Amino acid sequence: MSEPAVKNIEVATIGDDYATKYGFKDPEEYFLRAKKGIDHEVVEMISRLKNEPEWMRQFRHDALDIFLSKPMPKWGNTRLLNSIKFDDIYYYIKPLENQKRNWDDVPANIKNTFEKLGIPEAEQKFLAGVSAQYESEVVYHSFKEELKNQGIIFLDMDSGLREHSDIVRKYFATVIPAADNKFSALNSAVWSGGSFIYVPPGVDVKIPLQAYFRINAENMGQFERTLIIADKGSRVHYIEGCTAPIYTTDSLHSAVVELIALDGAYIRYTTIQNWSHNLFNLVTKRAVAHKNATVEWVDGNIGSKLTMKYPCVYLVGEGAKGEILSVAFAGDGQHQDAGAKVIHAAPNTSSRVTSKSISKAGGRASYRGLVKVHKNAVNSKVSVECDALLIDGASRTDTYPTMEIDADRVRIEHEARVSKVAEEQLFYLTSRGLTEDEARLMIVNGFIEPFTKELPMEYAVELNRLVQLEMEGSVG
Amino acid sequence: MHDSDLLFSMRDVHVEVEGKEVVKGVSLDIRRGEKHAIMGPNGSGKSSLANALAGHPAYSITSGTALIAGRDLLQMDATERSLAGLFLAFQYPLAIPGVTVANFLRAAVKARSNGDESVIKDFRKTIKANFKLLEIDDSFATRYLNEGFSGGEKKRLEILQMLMLKPLVAILDETDSGLDIDALKVVSKGINYSASSDNSILLVTHYQRILDYVRPNYVHVMMDGRFVRSGGPELALQLESEGYDRIREETAAKVEV
């Protein structure tokens, strides 16, 4: 008998909550901090401090002008968006003078933070490389020597720019230009940290690379920038996780992630987002898939106050594939406005979008999606499936699907479902001795199983545990 | 003092669904090692009684008493009733997408293990043996609960649950319905295997057919929310040959007298 990879959560054995497990904070000690608020002076300081080439310095200043001139989006949760106090945010905090290659060199409080989050342990067990970002900078980075020897590059983005400026300049902001949206412009102006990955042709990175993003300071803005290039026929899986302490004031996380999968390459990008409930998570993620390349976004949104994020794949080469698999959990006071975008711009391309959302205790989950098939993208296949589960009557779900099909001979499947946890299902499970809470949790975990089964086992267990915490309503 | 051989006892139980009384006062004692059958035509209230006893929220027991092993069943919620030893094999088992048979059963077995680790340790062995008994493929373990199951597979899964959970009192609600003869034999084999001198079984059925394979000690005929006749296994055979109409006429006649 083959056992499923994912064990069901051992129910009711954990009384932990976000506050003790993730929401703790260190004293705010830092090497250097920009003043509050944003202007050209802050941008100049960041660029000078990083000793960047002139093109990047100019790129930042131009991006700031775009940010300042662009109005706030008039869609999504405009009430929450307009409540962001940009002047109260720190846009750059450098926690340490230098990045460390050894955990023993990382100051005790920061090291303890990452230990509590299980990063060094995961690194030893099943990762090929780890990047740990704290506030604006990657404070710890490691990468297995044998992978370096295969020509694989895995660095924080700043080091990437310094050491491989030719590759960076060639691809940086080509997938997401600064002017794409207000928050990509903001990121372009003040970006710091994130990952730079290049995988040479034909190289298969068999075990995942991971980055962990931690915000510690109050009123912090984190703006990491990630660029992954998988050269022809190569394969890579990148995983990111994120958490922050609980504050009464708001924090902002606004990342830009660009993926480039060249001919025949494969990139999977997995996110487990578990920000605290006082944080705005406004992220732009986009990939380009060339001929016969595959890009998969596996995107889990558990935390944050408001998330607006729509991972996108541009299928620009014939035979390219894109898949976006996402789960959003919206609890009390949360709005998860998540979704997917796929642009078919070449023949014989295929895409699959699977979106699962759970709303509980007044939380709101929205699916917002765009599938566009250009005129030349004949024989393309599109599949979109949105499933929403409502735990109670106070919660809310909406779907905003858009399809623009300009090509002939395109196969399209679209399904959207809203379901409630049925009394009959609860009775069936409780009649076998499970409590009502256990039964409800089992139904919810079953609902997101198509997502969890795609995660490495350790992350699947962690996700189930997070969902359990959310279902218990113990998250502050 | 409680008679320890009396596993199940109900007195004058009334059940309402959506404000309508569907069970109008039934009483029954089931002792250790006994098999009882409740037979009745559609709409006689037998499934309502089964669901109400298991604690289905849509069925309320408005008066009467019911005890399981001497404990007051009606003070318990569905979970507690299950843990006290009651089991209901559903007539229409529900699909729970994404929850595998193995994970579900492990949780259900663990819920009643009282911290006994050996139960969980033996889980795989036990489930495999029961698969064999019910002629179920091992791949069943990783399928999602009742999702895409055939009628026969659903009923086997119900009996599998009974075998894994080892109830004191198992109520089998129309477990024979929709089964072909081969499936009926397999399901009956499972029921007979589960039955022992320590537990008891209450079969709820429309047809006599399953009683050829699972022999009851007592048969109760239910009509219009009441038990109208009780007897030995021969009563089932009589029903089979004469149909419910004959008993209905007799009952009507009796009421007139």
Side-chain angles (χ1 to χ4, degrees):
Chain A
M1 182 173 70
S2 69
E3 288 271 333
V6 182
K7 293 274 190 295
N8 234 302
I9 20 51
E10 304 290 17
V11 175
T13 54
I14 301 156
D16 259 350
D17 60 10
Y18 194 97
T20 54
K21 178 86 184 170
Y22 309 103
F24 56 87
K25 54 192 164 232
D26 297 335
E28 287 184 29
E29 293 162 2
Y30 41 82
F31 177 73
L32 194 151
R33 183 172 77 177
K35 64 175 184 183
K36 258 187 187 179
I38 179 146
D39 54 22
H40 282 282
E41 196 186 314
V42 169
V43 167
E44 184 66 22
M45 177 209 131
I46 293 172
S47 190
R48 289 264 174 249
L49 188 78
K50 292 175 182 290
N51 200 15
E52 288 177 341
E54 177 57 22
W55 70 267
M56 183 60 78
R57 192 185 74 85
Q58 196 55 50
F59 172 83
R60 288 179 182 275
H61 282 289
D62 292 348
L64 179 62
D65 289 335
I66 296 168
F67 168 73
L68 295 173
S69 64
K70 253 192 190 309
M72 200 57 109
K74 294 194 168 48
W75 50 276
N77 194 321
T78 49
R79 181 182 60 84
L80 285 179
L81 282 178
N82 289 317
S83 74
I84 301 173
K85 298 186 184 76
F86 289 103
D87 294 340
D88 282 347
I89 290 170
Y90 291 105
Y91 288 80
Y92 182 80
I93 294 179
K94 187 178 171 73
L96 305 178
E97 189 176 0
N98 295 309
Q99 191 183 102
K100 311 297 178 194
R101 306 265 150 182
N102 188 324
W103 281 112
D104 291 338
D105 298 333
V106 177
N109 56 352
I110 297 180
K111 184 183 163 199
N112 288 343
T113 288
F114 286 110
E115 272 176 353
K116 277 194 198 175
L117 298 168
I119 309 305
E121 195 190 340
E123 175 185 354
Q124 278 174 15
K125 275 192 192 158
F126 57 88
L127 295 169
V130 167
S131 202
Q133 179 156 346
Y134 194 86
E135 320 296 21
S136 302
E137 296 286 351
V138 171
V139 293
Y140 169 83
H141 185 87
S142 79
F143 187 43
K144 283 196 162 55
E145 206 58 41
E146 66 257 36
L147 297 182
K148 268 185 221 163
N149 295 339
Q150 292 176 53
I152 305 162
I153 301 166
F154 175 35
L155 290 167
D156 66 278
M157 193 65 225
D158 297 283
S159 302
L161 176 61
R162 269 196 307 274
E163 297 173 26
H164 303 277
S165 62
D166 47 338
I167 310 179
V168 172
R169 191 164 189 183
K170 183 174 173 190
Y171 292 108
F172 192 91
T174 56
V175 184
I176 304 171
D180 187 79
N181 64 75
K182 189 169 178 75
F183 292 92
S184 66
L186 176 60
N187 174 284
S188 298
V190 295
W191 74 266
S192 182
S195 300
F196 172 66
I197 295 170
Y198 171 78
V199 188
V203 173
D204 181 357
V205 189
K206 288 199 171 67
I207 35 178
L209 305 174
Q210 178 176 312
Y212 200 94
F213 297 94
R214 175 74 179 174
I215 291 178
N216 181 64
E218 191 169 7
N219 296 316
M220 179 63 198
Q222 193 176 59
F223 306 94
E224 89 270 11
R225 182 99 192 183
T226 289
L227 174 61
I228 300 178
I229 301 136
D231 213 324
K232 292 179 181 175
S234 67
R235 298 174 68 86
V236 64
H237 182 189
Y238 176 84
I239 303 173
E240 64 174 2
C242 29
T243 56
I246 302 158
Y247 292 109
T248 50
T249 55
D250 295 330
S251 304
L252 173 62
H253 172 253
S254 209
V256 165
V257 177
E258 298 176 283
L259 311 184
I260 294 142
L262 296 175
D263 292 3
Y266 169 92
I267 302 176
R268 172 175 280 203
Y269 192 108
T270 299
T271 303
I272 303 293
Q273 177 270 105
N274 187 28
W275 293 116
S276 52
H277 289 195
N278 58 299
L279 186 139
F280 287 96
N281 186 44
L282 307 165
V283 170
T284 311
K285 288 182 164 168
R286 191 172 301 159
V288 173
H290 290 266
K291 190 176 174 185
N292 294 324
T294 300
V295 173
E296 297 169 352
W297 295 102
V298 178
D299 202 58
N301 293 295
I302 310 293
S304 82
K305 176 189 222 167
L306 170 66
T307 284
M308 287 176 68
K309 176 168 56 163
Y310 322 95
C312 168
V313 186
Y314 269 76
L315 303 164
V316 299
E318 188 163 355
K321 289 190 179 71
E323 175 151 357
I324 299 151
L325 176 59
S326 66
V327 160
F329 192 110
D332 185 20
Q334 286 184 285
H335 184 180
Q336 305 282 8
D337 196 288
K341 271 168 81 174
V342 186
I343 314 296
H344 291 255
N348 302 311
T349 47
S350 62
S351 66
R352 187 161 66 185
V353 174
T354 310
S355 159
K356 299 249 172 194
S357 73
I358 300 153
S359 313
K360 187 206 153 204
R364 179 177 173 194
S366 311
Y367 169 80
R368 195 180 298 276
L370 169 68
V371 176
K372 187 170 173 61
V373 180
H374 284 286
K375 204 167 164 48
N376 67 328
V378 290
N379 288 325
S380 290
K381 279 186 253 174
V382 176
S383 158
V384 178
E385 193 182 324
C386 308
D387 259 343
L389 184 68
L390 292 171
I391 303 294
D392 50 54
S395 305
R396 178 173 167 188
T397 179
D398 343 72
T399 49
Y400 307 96
T402 306
M403 292 230 185
E404 297 171 14
I405 315 295
D406 296 329
D408 296 329
R409 288 177 286 140
V410 174
R411 201 171 86 206
I412 295 163
E413 293 166 23
H414 181 250
E415 269 184 77
R417 278 185 297 269
V418 178
S419 47
K420 292 190 174 132
V421 174
E423 198 177 55
E424 290 282 335
Q425 287 180 320
L426 283 178
F427 174 57
Y428 189 53
L429 297 180
T430 54
S431 80
R432 301 316 188 221
L434 304 185
T435 65
E436 215 174 291
D437 283 348
E438 289 166 350
R440 205 173 276 118
L441 182 59
M442 186 170 268
I443 291 166
V444 168
N445 276 322
F447 177 76
I448 61 169
E449 211 269 348
F451 181 87
T452 35
K453 77 174 183 204
E454 291 299 323
L455 300 176
M457 170 131 145
E458 291 77 2
Y459 296 85
V461 170
E462 180 64 7
L463 183 71
N464 278 347
R465 227 186 56 77
L466 292 178
V467 168
Q468 179 184 1
L469 292 176
E470 294 289 334
M471 288 298 291
E472 284 169 357
S474 58
V475 173
Chain B
M1 215 180 89
H2 176 65
D3 173 354
S4 66
D5 280 340
L6 195 60
L7 287 188
F8 177 80
S9 172
M10 62 175 170
R11 289 286 172 277
D12 196 27
V13 165
H14 292 248
V15 176
E16 264 186 32
V17 186
E18 292 170 353
K20 186 171 173 258
E21 190 170 70
V22 288
V23 176
K24 302 165 180 173
V26 291
S27 302
L28 181 63
D29 285 341
I30 305 179
R31 310 181 77 80
R32 220 174 267 280
E34 288 179 354
K35 297 190 196 88
H36 289 240
I38 297 177
M39 299 185 69
N42 290 337
S44 58
K46 56 191 192 307
S47 280
S48 299
L49 175 63
N51 276 292
L53 289 173
H56 192 303
Y59 298 81
S60 48
I61 295 181
T62 50
S63 68
T65 59
L67 304 176
I68 180 161
R71 295 169 61 195
D72 186 352
L73 198 66
L74 305 187
Q75 292 300 311
M76 305 178 191
D77 63 20
T79 309
E80 292 162 335
R81 291 180 198 199
S82 170
L83 297 180
L86 191 77
F87 179 83
L88 172 66
F90 280 54
Q91 184 178 1
Y92 304 111
L94 284 107
I96 317 279
V99 176
T100 64
V101 168
N103 277 346
F104 161 63
L105 276 172
R106 190 182 290 108
V109 166
K110 195 176 153 78
R112 67 201 63 232
S113 66
N114 295 317
D116 179 358
E117 304 243 326
S118 68
V119 182
I120 296 299
K121 247 171 55 198
D122 293 342
F123 176 79
R124 283 168 71 115
K125 221 167 59 194
T126 318
I127 199 171
K128 270 191 112 155
N130 287 326
F131 279 168
K132 210 169 162 197
L133 179 75
L134 295 173
E135 300 172 27
I136 293 170
D137 191 84
D138 282 359
S139 64
F140 215 74
T142 52
R143 290 176 65 187
Y144 298 148
L145 213 53
N146 289 313
E147 203 179 44
F149 279 31
S150 70
E153 286 174 330
K154 285 183 182 172
K155 296 303 171 76
R156 282 180 212 220
L157 176 59
E158 292 301 289
I159 301 307
L160 173 69
Q161 293 175 46
M162 177 173 76
L163 288 163
M164 295 299 293
L165 302 183
K166 301 192 177 73
L168 282 177
V169 179
I171 304 173
L172 309 179
D173 187 12
E174 309 252 0
T175 296
D176 52 334
S177 70
L179 295 184
D180 63 27
I181 191 71
D182 292 331
L184 181 64
K185 280 183 185 169
V186 172
V187 161
S188 300
K189 185 168 72 172
I191 297 169
N192 287 324
Y193 184 86
S194 152
S196 76
S197 57
D198 282 330
N199 59 27
S200 60
I201 285 170
L202 179 59
L203 288 156
V204 174
T205 180
H206 186 112
Y207 300 104
Q208 192 269 339
R209 206 169 62 133
I210 191 173
L211 307 183
D212 288 340
Y213 302 97
V214 183
R215 309 284 301 178
N217 308 99
Y218 302 96
V219 174
H220 314 276
V221 181
M222 192 166 184
M223 280 182 176
D224 191 27
R226 294 184 179 87
F227 289 163
V228 295
R229 188 83 76 79
S230 290
E234 71 286 348
L235 183 54
L237 295 171
Q238 187 193 338
L239 267 179
E240 180 76 355
S241 60
E242 296 174 5
Y244 286 109
D245 286 348
R246 177 69 181 274
I247 291 189
R248 188 173 281 128
E249 284 160 24
E250 287 174 15
T251 313
K254 234 188 282 176
V255 171
E256 275 166 36
V257 171

